[in-house]
Amino acid sequence: MRSTHAIVSLLVGASFAATMRAQELRIRPALARGQQLWFVEKTRQQIDIITPDAPTRQSLEIARTLMVEVNEVTDEGMELLLVIARVHGQVGMPVGPPRSFDTLDEALQRDPEQLAGVGAAVRSRIAEASKMLIARTDARGDVTEDLEPAPQAGRQEPLTATQQARLQRLVTSLFGRATDAPVSQGSTWDHETRSADPQLPTVQRAEVTLSKVDDELLTLRIAGTVATDPALATPQTIRVDGTIEGIQRVGRDGVLRTSTLRADAALRIVLRRQRMPRAEANDRVHVGLHPLGRNQRAGVVGRLLLRDGRSGKKGGGEDE
């Protein structure tokens, strides 16, 4: 009798193990040529600069609306057309009311000088609007080389090193923090993200857990650290030491459905033009990324056409 029970237990265990192996999957983009994806990425940032004489608070809310179209798909990866359709938000100033901006605002096109007070970092993000770029990725969706102007783009300003690094991260982020290995519910893996931004080179090291699998979505939980990349840091580099956590939901096609990430970091800032050699700061960043609905897309496209003088009628919907 005991031998029979042992055989049954062995068979049940083998069947369970086979079922678990059958549920293993690879998280990779499965897109078709000509497919379009629309997203909006919203970032909220608050920096409290701590100095003995004049502590200050700065804030930034910025949203980027983007379209990605699949030009080519091979076993090795993808070629994508990236279009930054809109950049808008507001900057909280140390003194006075917030300064708002929207690249779909015709007044901004007529008078770019109104952006003079928002700071160089924000103007760099605003300058990304209307860019048409080619991105090449590997099979997992990681960008493998510098973005370059799309042939149909016409004349546009070349990307700065900071813009190049930022937009590469944006493209890669559309496919979640996946791994090359097959995974199943409960699997964990390490994921590293490096920013080659010359002004703020950082490295994020996180543990990713596939916490839930259902018929449509894979839920990833992310927890880790963010720090200055020592390989790229200089004596003037802002030093970063913090944590990052969040949740991403990825479709069965390997494309992100929603992402909510939060980073909290302590900064050490070199103040070369002031008497104080350095200052401390606390930086809180919240980044959300989700697809743009059909009506919202129509609203953005309509306003683009209106702004550029190719249509006399505004599209419906808003992307707020």
Side-chain angles (χ1 to χ4, degrees), residues 265-277:
L267 309 181
R268 192 168 73 247
I269 307 169
V270 176
L271 303 174
R272 289 172 290 178
R273 295 188 296 273
Q274 300 184 21
R275 291 176 299 169
M276 294 288 296

Side-chain angles (χ1 to χ4, degrees), residues 13-30:
S15 175
F16 178 77
T19 301
M20 292 303 294
R21 284 194 298 271
Q23 291 176 349
E24 286 189 337
L25 51 91
R26 290 184 182 272
I27 308 175
R28 287 190 172 185

Side-chain angles (χ1 to χ4, degrees), residues 116-279:
V118 302
V122 175
R123 290 198 300 273
S124 172
R125 290 172 178 258
I126 292 171
E128 295 169 0
S130 300
K131 297 285 190 190
M132 299 180 68
L133 303 162
I134 296 296
R136 295 181 177 88
T137 77
D138 61 17
R140 196 175 66 181
D142 292 337
V143 175
T144 55
E145 56 188 82
D146 282 353
L147 308 184
E148 58 188 38
Q152 64 269 45
R155 183 178 179 183
Q156 60 183 12
E157 292 295 320
L159 297 176
T160 66
T162 296
Q163 291 169 334
Q164 180 72 240
R166 187 164 54 227
L167 292 174
Q168 286 187 30
R169 290 198 307 274
L170 177 62
V171 173
T172 297
S173 71
L174 303 180
F175 307 107
R177 301 200 177 195
T179 177
D180 285 327
V183 293
S184 58
Q185 184 166 316
S187 294
T188 63
W189 60 91
D190 294 330
H191 188 278
E192 184 174 282
T193 302
R194 290 182 179 271
S195 165
D197 185 338
Q199 297 180 352
L200 191 64
T202 58
V203 55
Q204 294 181 18
R205 294 185 175 93
E207 181 180 81
V208 183
T209 301
L210 179 54
S211 62
K212 185 179 179 181
V213 176
D214 60 32
D215 292 340
E216 297 183 355
L217 293 176
L218 313 174
T219 300
L220 311 181
R221 292 190 176 273
I222 298 161
T225 61
V226 56
T228 304
D229 188 341
L232 299 177
T234 70
Q236 285 74 41
T237 297
I238 297 175
R239 304 292 163 163
V240 181
D241 183 14
T243 60
I244 184 168
E245 61 180 9
I247 294 177
Q248 294 185 329
R249 292 182 172 87
V250 181
R252 287 287 187 154
D253 60 359
V255 177
L256 200 70
R257 294 297 186 269
T258 63
S259 175
T260 303
L261 299 175
R262 173 175 173 168
D264 290 278
L267 309 181
R268 192 168 73 247
I269 307 169
V270 176
L271 303 174
R272 289 172 290 178
R273 295 188 296 273
Q274 300 184 21
R275 291 176 299 169
M276 294 288 296
R278 64 185 58 191

